[in-house]
Amino acid sequence: KYKGDVSKVENAVKQFNDNKIQNEKFCREIIAAMGNIDAAVAVLPDIIGSLPRGDRKSKLNQYFQQQL
């Protein structure tokens, strides 16, 4: 539905999981990969939901809820 760059999204997820980028950078990468903030906001809940459970996921979800 949203024509984003899947490889860029996957790369951002990998970097986040490898602890190479933090919440703000992760969200900026997803916005860039999706082309605009509306598309990113539409897919970010699913992306965040697919991440492994843990404190980083919880903090990312909280950041997403407060900032976007």
Side-chain angles (χ1 to χ4, degrees):
K1 181 177 180 179
Y2 300 99
K3 298 187 186 323
D5 188 330
V6 174
S7 64
K8 287 183 180 180
V9 171
E10 289 173 342
N11 186 50
V13 169
K14 182 177 180 346
Q15 286 185 24
F16 183 81
N17 284 336
D18 292 345
N19 205 20
K20 293 182 179 175
I21 59 175
Q22 300 303 318
N23 298 338
E24 183 179 355
K25 174 79 171 158
F26 176 77
C27 289
R28 279 191 272 130
E29 293 286 325
I30 299 299
I31 292 167
M34 294 306 298
N36 63 63
I37 195 163
D38 291 334
V41 167
V43 299
L44 267 166
D46 291 331
I47 294 170
I48 293 170
S50 72
L51 297 172
R53 289 184 181 201
D55 191 47
R56 292 191 77 228
K57 177 180 177 175
S58 296
K59 288 181 179 178
L60 175 60
N61 190 45
Q62 183 178 19
Y63 177 85
F64 168 70
Q65 296 294 328
Q66 292 175 349
Q67 300 297 322
L68 299 180

